[in-house]
């Protein structure tokens, strides 16, 4: 009897996918799960591409349900359906978890299902850092991270030229128009003045 529901799926989706009653949406999600399981059985009627897309889309919309209990139930369902390795699950995020109906929530859905692998890991409570991150007394910066005159990182800062023109004398590498931009070379002359840049 489940095979006979495929032609009715568009009407069921229109009536139940976003129904006000949580119980109706829950029954619809359960029906979609049964249809998906039935389609995977040998000898079952194979749905057409449109029905398969609508089925997957309906199950993905359940991950964005307004009811938290429904979202958790659908998260558990999809967690059980996707691969257990991180690399394979990441691929599945692109191949299985995308549908136009949930395009705006795709990144959120994918992140939740990737994090489910970590959440279920046996060593998830293992301490990574010996000291807490709040203890900054032992923090030592690596080298001098401040930009130098003429460096690409300084040239990209809006205050860079003014900062060095007031505190240090101009050097040969800066040229007449100020510090070189990251895309400029000393072989070429600047075509814009500092006033034009902004």
């Amino acid at each position: 009897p489940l095979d006979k529901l495929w032609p009715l799926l568009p009407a069921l989706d229109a009536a139940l996918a976003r129904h006000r009653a949580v119980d109706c949406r829950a029954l619809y999600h359960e029906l979609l799960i049964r249809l998906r399981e039935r389609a995977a059985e040998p000898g079952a009627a194979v749905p057409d591409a449109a029905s398969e897309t609508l089925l997957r889309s309906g199950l993905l919309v359940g991950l964005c349900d307004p009811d938290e209990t429904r979202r958790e139930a659908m998260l558990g369902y999809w967690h059980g359906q996707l691969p257990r390795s991180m690399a394979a699950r990441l691929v599945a995020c692109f191949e299985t978890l995308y549908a136009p109906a949930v395009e705006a929530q795709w990144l959120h859905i994918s992140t939740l299902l990737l994090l489910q692998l970590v959440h279920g890991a046996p060593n998830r409570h293992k301490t990574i850092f010996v000291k807490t991150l709040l203890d900054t007394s032992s923090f030592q910066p690596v080298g001098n991270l401040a930009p130098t005159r003429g460096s690409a990182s300084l040239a990209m800062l809006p205050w860079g030229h003014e900062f060095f023109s007031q505190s240090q004398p101009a050097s040969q590498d800066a040229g007449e128009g100020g510090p070189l931009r990251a895309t400029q070379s000393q072989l070429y002359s600047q075509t814009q003045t500092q006033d034009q840049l902004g």
Side-chain angles (χ1 to χ4, degrees):
L2 280 175
D3 293 340
K4 296 180 179 179
L5 289 177
W6 287 112
L8 302 174
L9 194 56
L12 289 170
D13 187 73
L16 300 174
R18 290 172 178 83
H19 197 278
R20 288 183 309 184
V22 177
D23 293 340
C24 289
R25 295 194 308 271
L27 285 173
Y28 179 61
H29 295 151
E30 193 62 35
L31 174 66
L32 292 177
I33 290 169
R34 297 282 180 259
L35 278 172
R36 192 165 193 252
E37 290 171 351
R38 174 67 182 140
E41 292 175 4
V46 178
D48 59 1
S51 296
E52 171 61 31
T53 301
L54 187 58
L55 171 71
R56 189 168 44 85
S57 178
L59 289 169
L60 289 171
V61 167
L63 288 166
C64 308
D65 195 273
D67 183 66
E68 185 177 352
T69 307
R70 291 296 330 130
R71 288 194 307 270
E72 288 177 4
M74 295 309 293
L75 187 67
Y77 167 75
W78 278 109
H79 179 58
Q81 298 298 306
L82 296 176
R84 294 294 180 170
S85 86
M86 185 64 79
R89 184 164 289 204
L90 183 60
V91 171
C93 287
F94 290 95
E95 295 178 348
T96 308
L97 294 181
Y98 175 79
V102 293
E103 184 172 14
Q105 294 87 13
W106 173 80
L107 182 60
H108 178 72
I109 289 169
S110 298
T111 303
L112 281 176
L113 284 160
L114 286 170
L115 289 174
Q116 285 297 306
L117 289 176
V118 178
H119 181 69
N123 62 346
R124 67 182 180 273
H125 297 296
K126 181 182 175 185
T127 303
I128 297 175
F129 300 102
V130 177
K131 293 185 178 184
T132 63
L133 294 177
L134 296 176
D135 180 16
T136 58
S137 61
S138 62
F139 176 75
Q140 295 294 325
V142 179
N144 183 9
L145 301 179
T148 60
R149 185 176 204 11
S151 69
S153 59
L154 172 68
M156 299 173 102
L157 297 174
W159 48 263
H161 179 51
E162 290 80 9
F163 174 78
F164 276 101
S165 64
Q166 292 172 6
S167 61
Q168 297 177 359
S171 65
Q172 296 287 338
D173 65 342
E176 293 179 4
L180 291 175
R181 300 290 183 221
T183 57
Q184 293 174 330
S185 171
Q186 291 181 355
L187 298 175
Y188 301 99
S189 63
Q190 284 184 302
T191 57
Q192 295 177 325
T193 65
Q194 199 64 24
D195 294 333
Q196 290 173 328
L197 294 175

